[in-house]
């Protein structure tokens, strides 16, 4: 994969990033959450895997969509004794999220050449304050990591046929797992455009064969089409939503923007009740302003990839949040009209976590644009050097200061929200329940035991034959 201009070997560094990210995700869950099965992981994916078998279950629709990677995770988790099912699912999901972080670290190098800034960008899926609450460490929400990866996967300019094939394989996994990845499909245009000189890690213009973008394009469009067809032809149990525009905006400001700096969304809501909606409206305006500033500066300096990624990531945050409320009535908290007593009971929404990861990525790319020197960004080194020598150099210092302030705030909010709280932290843990069921199963091997999961209304039916398989 080559070496970046800062001397950091990309592939080894990415491997380290992936392992560290997986370790952070694992640690933020806590021991009880790691041993507790979440929702569909037990009641849906496990049940359908046992009923349909390992092949037919892979592309079996659920809730109107395909869930390829979560079903593969269940296959892996059934290899060890079923008593370890919860731990294996949690560990596998943390490792896969770490792999997403490593991939972002690699694929973002043409847009964010500075490895420390790219490291922060890669860490978003595991360090978002609200991530551990529901979306981290379980197969049911693993698609959120795929959503974060999709823009970088589709926009990357492959260097070799081996790399192009790898991108296509990953695109199939992402596309057949996350239907909302279709929002990033326009970025495929960037995969066909050579990287400008000064933006490639080795400082050279990246050309390669003109058809190197074909594999990922076919894979992304094909898997996206499969998801769309599935959504149009499969019934969904969820009731569609009909949110008011004010609720969409208020919810995005409270849950998505508020969740960027505090995992305790109820605390943010209490501040709103006490001081008004300006508590979240002002930060939301500042975030949008920063994104637009990053786009303008990137366009002015000829950094079209950075401008496109920043814009699509930010727009994707709004689109994903809005689409979730339109598709699921249960996701709409009627925030703009909710009574204070209801508002202060808010918990982090999984839909807001997905939108928050995209928005965090947009903010960090915009900050990187402001921090990066013009000599790295211009259409040619000569033009950038001339621009840097002009009176605008003072403006560049101001922009760089703004970018570093943003980076500092992001890091401070992440550190302030460690380690995190998971909804599964109260149990019930899976392994003790399976152990207690062994006596029942020895009395009747044909029986099926019910194992409780989270949320409390969800359960998993586990055949005794599976409980006693390795005994």
């Amino acid at each position: 994969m080559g070496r970046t201009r800062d001397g950091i070997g990309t592939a080894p560094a990415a491997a380290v990033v992936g392992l560290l990210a997986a370790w952070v995700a694992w640690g933020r869950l806590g021991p009880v959450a790691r041993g507790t099965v979440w929702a569909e992981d037990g009641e849906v994916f496990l049940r359908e895997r046992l009923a349909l078998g390992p092949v037919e279950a892979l592309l079996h629709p659920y809730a109107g969509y395909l869930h390829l990677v979560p079903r593969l995770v269940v296959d892996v988790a059934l290899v060890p004794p079923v008593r370890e099912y919860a731990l294996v699912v949690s560990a596998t999901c943390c490792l896969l999220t770490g792999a997403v972080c490593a991939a972002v670290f690699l694929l973002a190098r043409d847009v964010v050449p500075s490895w420390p800034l790219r490291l922060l960008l890669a860490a978003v899926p595991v360090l978002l304050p609200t991530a551990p609450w529901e979306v981290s460490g379980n197969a049911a929400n693993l698609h959120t990591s795929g959503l974060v990866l999709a823009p970088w996967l589709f926009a990357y300019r492959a260097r070799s046929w081996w790399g192009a094939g790898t991108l296509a394989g990953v695109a199939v996994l992402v596309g057949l797992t996350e239907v909302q990845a279709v929002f990033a499909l326009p970025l495929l245009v960037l995969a066909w455009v050579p990287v400008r000189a000064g933006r490639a890690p080795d400082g050279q213009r990246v050309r390669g064969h003109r058809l190197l973008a074909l594999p990922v394009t076919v894979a992304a469009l094909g898997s996206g089409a499969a998801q769309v067809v599935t959504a149009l032809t499969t019934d969904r149990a969820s009731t569609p939503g009909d949110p008011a525009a004010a609720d969409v905006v208020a919810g995005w400001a409270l849950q998505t923007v508020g969740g960027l700096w505090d995992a305790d969304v109820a605390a943010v809501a209490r501040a709103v009740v006490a001081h008004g909606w300006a508590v979240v409206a002002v930060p939301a305006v500042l975030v949008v302003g920063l994104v637009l500033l990053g786009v303008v500066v990137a366009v002015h300096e000829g950094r079209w990839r950075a401008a496109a990624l920043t814009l699509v990531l930010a727009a994707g945050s709004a689109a994903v949040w809005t689409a979730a409320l339109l598709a699921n009535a249960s996701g709409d908290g009627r925030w703009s009209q909710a009574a204070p007593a209801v508002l202060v009971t808010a918990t982090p929404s999984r839909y807001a976590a997905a939108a928050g990861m995209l928005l965090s990525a947009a903010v960090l790319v915009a900050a990187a644009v402001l921090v990066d020197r013009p000599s790295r960004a211009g259409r040619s080194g000569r033009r950038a050097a001339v621009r840097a020598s002009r009176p605008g150099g003072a403006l560049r210092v101001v922009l760089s200061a703004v970018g570093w302030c943003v980076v500092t705030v992001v890091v401070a909010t992440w550190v302030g929200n460690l380690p995190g709280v998971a909804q599964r932290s109260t149990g019930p843990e899976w392994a003790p329940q399976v152990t207690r069921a062994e006596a029942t199963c020895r009395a009747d091997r044909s029986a099926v035991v019910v194992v409780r999961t989270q949320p409390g209304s969800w359960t998993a039916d586990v055949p005794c034959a599976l409980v006693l398989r390795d005994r």
Side-chain angles (χ1 to χ4, degrees), residues 387-401:
R387 186 183 297 120
S389 67
R390 292 176 180 173
L395 177 60
R396 167 51 61 181
V397 172
V398 173
L399 293 176
S400 182

Side-chain angles (χ1 to χ4, degrees), residues 51 57 75 88 251 303 325:
D75 283 340
V88 176
R303 305 170 68 174
L325 300 192

Side-chain angles (χ1 to χ4, degrees), residues 39-49 62 71 458-459:
E40 287 90 350
D41 295 3
E43 185 163 313
V44 177
F45 296 145
L46 176 60
R47 170 174 51 80
E48 292 181 347
R49 164 62 175 79
Y62 164 66
R71 294 188 183 278
W458 294 68
T459 59

Side-chain angles (χ1 to χ4, degrees), residues 76-97:
V76 171
L78 284 176
V79 173
V82 74
R83 184 178 183 277
E84 309 301 328
Y85 180 78
L87 285 175
V88 176
V89 168
S90 296
T92 304
C93 290
C94 287
L95 286 171
L96 288 174
T97 301

